[in-house]
Amino acid sequence: MKTILGIESSCDETAAAVVSRGTEILSSVVASQIKVHAPFGGVVPELASRKHLESIAPVVEQALEDAGISRDQIDGVAVTRGPGLVGALLVGFSFAKAYAFALDVPWVGVNHLLGHIHSVLMSPSPPEFPFAALLVSGGHTSIYKVSSRTDMEVMGQTRDDAAGEAFDKVSKAMGLGYPGGEIISKLAESGDPHKISFPRSWLDKKKFDFSFSGIKTAVGRYMQVHEDSWHDEKADIAASFQEAVVEVLATKLINAAKSIGCPRVAVAGGVAANACLRDRVTQLAAKAGMSVHLPDISLCGDNAAMIAAAGYYKLAAGERSPLNMDVFSRMEKL
């Protein structure tokens, strides 16, 4: 078991990658649907599924071509099983099953969140085990104690909205567009992060759960109260909102690592590309005497390389998925 084809279609990115021995990325192709969903301010599930159907075969063929290999050189297939949009997942999942069956190679379904954790483990200097990992994206915000490539324990998670979802919805409320994370981050560069004191939802400070629904309401309320002037404060609103979210994320990650006596922290997921979050975690970790491990920006968003990497270790351990396996849309054990 050496060369793994990875396939990812959990949301609005159709992706395929070829990874060797779980760490060497031979190719990684991502077909984005941003232009399709931008007019709606968010992902439309039915449209996403249709675009996956159009893109999946060409994306896989491009991944093989970029890797410089043929189909008969694939030793196994790994595919995102969930969580995600059911229709979108089914496209990649069904394609992977058929592809593996046709090639007569083993295949395995991979938890999308496990893949994100592996994006950190694919770096040139991966963290030693155990480490505390913050997984933060458009659909998920959790902290894990990662004891091995297959042993990961949830320490805390969002009780309502994910951090990335909050970025998207605040951006939509301000009429800035989609995807909100990148737009808010760019606008915040010219704003004052301390100009507006948006609330921090700490919940129980001794625990590591999150809540981001309240800050969305706070931003909306600020816009209502300052109806005549908020348009001139967009940069300050963006910076202050981002500051509130990042402060909670970074602080809880460091506190989680302290609680288990672990001097190593990592950040993964789409929001891991946020420069403010990366800087804040690095600063707080330095003060606490901890090392920080961040994935390459290209591996932060949804991609198939991380799925292939996670799948490699599953297949190498002898795990195989049956052809009657189905996708799942909600959280399951990693």
Side-chain angles (χ1 to χ4, degrees):
M1 192 62 57
K2 177 183 176 183
T3 305
I4 306 299
L5 169 67
I7 296 174
E8 150 66 23
S9 67
S10 63
C11 190
D12 62 337
E13 312 281 6
T14 311
V18 179
V19 173
S20 177
R21 300 191 184 279
T23 57
E24 183 184 359
I25 302 175
L26 303 183
S27 68
S28 181
V29 179
V30 179
S32 173
Q33 298 181 12
I34 288 178
K35 291 183 179 180
V36 174
H37 303 288
F40 306 97
V43 177
V44 180
E46 179 63 24
L47 293 180
S49 301
R50 293 180 184 182
K51 292 303 293 184
H52 284 308
L53 282 170
E54 294 174 11
S55 303
I56 185 68
V59 164
V60 168
E61 290 304 307
Q62 187 64 54
L64 294 179
E65 182 179 335
D66 291 354
I69 65 172
S70 60
R71 298 177 188 176
D72 58 10
Q73 291 175 285
I74 293 295
D75 298 314
V77 177
V79 59
T80 302
R81 184 184 172 210
L85 302 176
V86 175
L89 286 166
L90 280 170
V91 175
F93 204 67
S94 300
F95 186 94
K97 280 186 187 182
Y99 207 82
F101 181 80
L103 295 178
D104 192 24
V105 298
W107 74 284
V108 66
V110 174
N111 187 304
H112 179 75
L113 308 185
L114 178 65
H116 274 303
I117 298 295
H118 273 267
S119 70
V120 177
L121 297 171
M122 296 175 75
S123 65
S125 300
E128 295 180 3
F129 299 109
F131 62 91
L134 170 66
L135 197 164
V136 56
S137 67
H140 310 279
T141 301
S142 306
I143 295 178
Y144 294 92
K145 177 185 177 183
V146 183
S147 299
S148 73
R149 292 183 180 275
T150 56
D151 183 7
M152 304 178 191
E153 175 187 352
V154 178
M155 298 182 68
Q157 58 192 339
T158 182
R159 295 183 182 180
D160 41 58
D161 298 335
E165 180 184 353
F167 272 90
D168 285 339
K169 290 186 176 179
V170 166
S171 177
K172 183 176 182 178
M174 295 173 65
L176 300 176
Y178 174 85
E182 183 178 348
I183 295 171
I184 292 287
S185 179
K186 184 66 176 177
L187 181 60
E189 293 177 2
S190 58
D192 181 353
H194 306 292
K195 184 68 175 295
I196 306 167
S197 182
F198 288 125
R200 276 71 164 158
S201 181
W202 295 106
L203 301 176
D204 185 341
K205 282 197 172 185
K206 295 181 180 179
K207 297 183 179 180
F208 313 112
D209 284 345
F210 301 94
S211 173
F212 296 105
S213 62
I215 192 169
K216 292 188 311 179
T217 302
V219 173
R221 180 59 179 161
Y222 185 90
M223 292 165 62
Q224 289 178 340
V225 172
H226 301 83
E227 183 178 0
D228 297 328
S229 61
W230 76 264
H231 293 277
D232 299 323
E233 302 178 82
K234 286 185 177 181
D236 291 335
I237 294 174
S240 298
F241 161 76
Q242 178 176 260
E243 174 67 18
V245 172
V246 164
E247 181 181 349
V248 173
L249 290 171
T251 301
K252 290 216 170 195
L253 172 61
I254 299 302
N255 288 345
K258 289 179 179 178
S259 75
I260 57 175
C262 179
R264 294 169 292 275
V265 296
V267 185
V271 184
N274 182 282
C276 183
L277 177 60
R278 294 169 82 95
D279 290 344
R280 187 63 53 82
V281 170
T282 300
Q283 292 167 7
L284 293 183
K287 291 181 180 178
M290 300 177 181
S291 62
V292 179
H293 301 269
L294 303 169
D296 186 85
I297 295 296
S298 65
L299 295 177
C300 290
D302 292 347
N303 66 89
M306 66 185 192
I307 301 301
Y312 167 80
Y313 291 97
K314 283 178 169 286
L315 290 168
E319 184 174 339
R320 302 290 186 269
S321 292
L323 287 176
N324 63 354
M325 176 179 278
D326 201 354
V327 300
F328 66 90
S329 60
R330 297 185 178 182
M331 176 63 69
E332 284 194 359
K333 189 177 184 297
L334 292 187

